[in-house]
Amino acid sequence: MKIAFILFDGITFLDLIGFYDVITRLKHFEATKDSCWDMCGLKEEITDELGVTVKVNRVNPDLSEYDMLFVPGGLGTRALRYDEEFINWLKKAQNVEYKISVCTGSLLLGAAGFLHNRKATTHPFSYELLEPYCKEVIKTRIVRDGNVITGGGVSTSIDLGLYVIEHFLGSEQIENIKKQMDYPYVHVGIIEV
């Protein structure tokens, strides 16, 4: 499993890190030990909404090389959905098996055309912004419509990671991961179309 984490200016890092912390645990299990990932962006450094700067380890890679695309949200998504260079770059992931977003990352999946005729979700304050991009906005925490999985607001990123990793490892391993993370919560609000 080769994963592309998409980074951009105006990202909410908790959107990224919650999912990242969970999904990168795939590497610790025999069945998924060959998993690898890259932090991908269109420039060498990105800055979040609050001014924290991080380096990108792959600048402008061909996203078609990956098995999973993860797009976090953040205030930067509002303008970025109209950025032709960025959206054309995302479109290269057309044939990527799993397209996943959390929070307003779904606006970017939508702008790239990946939510056409699909049901999806986003941050509760952004449901109206998502409506033009998908068949139906479902007001819940996680929506899976085929190979596209969208998550709600910021804290959903951990639940989303657990939901996705369960697909590969099963529920018993998820309980072990949750114990290791000291994560006592049960996922709620999951809709599978």
Side-chain angles (χ1 to χ4, degrees):
M1 173 71 55
K2 189 173 180 184
I3 305 166
F5 293 100
I6 304 300
L7 277 67
F8 50 86
D9 287 330
I11 189 175
T12 296
F13 275 129
L14 186 54
D15 283 356
L16 171 72
I17 297 303
F19 185 83
Y20 172 88
D21 184 86
V22 176
I23 204 74
T24 56
R25 292 169 191 261
L26 285 170
K27 194 142 184 85
H28 303 295
F29 296 89
E30 187 61 32
T32 53
K33 68 180 180 185
D34 293 331
S35 297
C36 61
W37 48 86
D38 292 310
M39 296 294 170
C40 304
L42 289 181
K43 58 185 192 172
E44 290 182 6
E45 288 186 351
I46 63 99
T47 304
D48 81 342
E49 304 162 330
L50 304 173
V52 175
T53 300
V54 298
K55 296 222 179 257
V56 168
N57 69 315
R58 287 210 60 207
V59 176
N60 196 16
D62 180 353
L63 295 176
S64 69
E65 301 172 2
Y66 293 90
D67 304 301
M68 181 185 292
L69 179 78
F70 178 74
V71 184
L75 292 175
T77 60
R78 284 20 170 230
L80 204 52
R81 61 192 162 135
Y82 302 113
D83 183 308
E84 190 173 326
E85 178 186 15
F86 186 87
I87 296 305
N88 284 335
W89 177 56
L90 280 187
K91 286 180 179 180
K92 292 178 183 176
Q94 179 65 41
N95 294 320
V96 170
E97 186 172 3
Y98 299 99
K99 297 171 192 76
I100 301 168
S101 70
V102 72
C103 200
T104 56
S106 59
L107 300 178
L108 301 178
L109 288 185
F114 300 146
L115 301 181
H116 183 71
N117 284 326
R118 293 186 186 270
K119 297 180 180 183
T121 195
T122 190
H123 189 286
F125 292 168
S126 300
Y127 290 145
E128 288 181 12
L129 294 176
L130 184 60
E131 286 175 356
Y133 297 113
C134 64
K135 180 178 179 178
E136 180 185 349
V137 174
I138 299 181
K139 298 175 180 181
T140 192
R141 286 178 61 82
I142 297 173
V143 174
R144 180 177 186 161
D145 189 339
N147 66 338
V148 177
I149 306 168
T150 53
V154 182
S155 68
T156 308
S157 62
I158 294 173
D159 287 346
L160 182 62
L162 291 166
Y163 173 77
V164 171
I165 207 170
E166 185 173 12
H167 175 74
F168 298 103
L169 299 175
S171 57
E172 183 179 320
Q173 295 298 355
I174 290 305
E175 290 308 311
N176 291 334
I177 291 170
K178 287 170 67 174
K179 284 179 190 172
Q180 186 180 42
M181 293 175 63
D182 192 22
Y183 190 75
Y185 308 105
V186 176
H187 340 305
V188 295
I190 298 173
I191 304 292
E192 295 178 334
V193 179

